[in-house]
Amino acid sequence: MDRVGRLHDQPGPPARRRRPQKGAAAGDELEDPARTQAGQALGRSRGGLTTKVHLACDGRGLPLAVVVTPGNVNDSTVFDTVLNAVRVPRAGVGRPRRRPDAVIADKAYSSRAIRRMLRGRGIRAVIPERDDQKTNRVRRGRAGGRPPAFDRDLYKARNVVERCFNRLKQFRAIATRFDKLATRYRAGLHLAALILWLRETRDDQSPTNHR
């Protein structure tokens, strides 16, 4: 079972621009701001230039997939990318598992396209309907269709992804981005996720004291 969420991150002070190398063309000395921000995963939002981390985790709050985008990217547009990045190795022989039993996500991921995709892959969607979608459906009457299935009790477990983000933010390099390039910041996220997995494995293998 996967939980999907996102994290906004405010990058640190930008690094100084390097001087153009000798022999470079005059047109190559100027960087395209849009291209530069895309390569650095920076997007302008209410808090200025920010980076957004999209994350899927398991029921224990351990990261399964991490995707980094500019802060102004809509959450729902990256849902497929995050879900397709989930690969859970099997204990025995066989391909990694890529299809969870259910996906728990907040209202930002409430769309017909996402629900249709999950239904086509046989994955249970636990996503609440947005208020505007509900109002529009009720306004259309019978033409609006039936409300999507929603398990309120199962949705209470969505806070696991928030706790996963809190554990990742304990790493200073994750809570505040100092890396200029998005690839390096993403590598730091993967390293932090690996540390969380190693800690969990160590705790599971630790001997239990009986009195």
Side-chain angles (χ1 to χ4, degrees):
M1 184 178 299
D2 290 351
R3 277 82 169 172
V4 181
R6 71 276 185 200
L7 165 71
H8 286 276
D9 179 72
Q10 184 73 33
R16 294 182 179 179
R17 181 180 300 177
R18 295 181 178 179
R19 296 180 179 178
Q21 298 180 356
K22 295 182 179 180
D28 296 338
E29 297 180 3
L30 299 178
E31 297 181 359
D32 184 4
R35 185 176 181 180
T36 301
Q37 292 182 9
Q40 298 176 359
L42 293 176
R44 189 167 297 280
S45 59
R46 295 181 179 178
L49 290 176
T50 58
T51 298
K52 185 180 292 185
V53 177
H54 308 262
L55 170 71
C57 70
D58 64 3
R60 297 172 296 176
L62 296 176
L64 297 176
V66 174
V67 176
V68 178
T69 65
N72 56 349
V73 173
N74 188 276
D75 298 327
S76 60
T77 60
V78 198
F79 183 86
D80 294 358
T81 305
V82 176
L83 192 61
N84 291 333
V86 174
R87 290 178 175 84
V88 180
R90 298 182 184 272
V93 180
R95 297 180 178 179
R97 185 180 179 184
R98 303 183 58 184
R99 188 178 65 181
D101 297 329
V103 170
I104 305 176
D106 59 17
K107 294 182 179 181
Y109 300 93
S110 177
S111 68
R112 291 185 177 180
I114 290 179
R115 298 181 190 276
R116 187 183 307 111
M117 184 270 292
L118 292 176
R119 185 167 54 252
R121 297 181 57 176
I123 302 174
R124 185 181 180 185
V126 185
I127 306 175
E129 189 179 21
R130 295 204 311 264
D131 294 338
D132 59 331
Q133 295 175 342
K134 182 178 180 180
T135 302
N136 185 49
R137 176 175 52 80
V138 173
R139 179 181 57 82
R140 297 179 59 187
R142 297 182 59 181
R146 294 180 296 180
F150 177 64
D151 191 332
R152 294 184 179 273
D153 293 333
L154 189 57
Y155 185 72
K156 295 178 181 179
R158 201 196 68 85
N159 64 83
V160 174
V161 71
E162 305 298 340
R163 297 203 300 266
C164 179
F165 277 126
N166 290 334
R167 295 172 68 183
L168 287 174
K169 289 168 66 176
Q170 294 177 0
F171 299 89
R172 183 179 179 184
I174 304 302
T176 302
R177 174 181 168 180
F178 299 102
D179 299 294
K180 178 179 180 181
L181 299 179
T183 53
R184 295 183 180 180
Y185 183 61
R186 183 167 58 249
L189 282 165
H190 289 166
L191 181 59
L194 178 59
I195 293 175
L196 294 183
W197 273 95
L198 292 176
R199 288 177 179 175
E200 187 75 13
T201 304
R202 181 189 60 187
D203 294 340
D204 293 342
Q205 296 178 354
S206 60
T208 303
N209 297 326
H210 298 278
R211 294 183 180 180

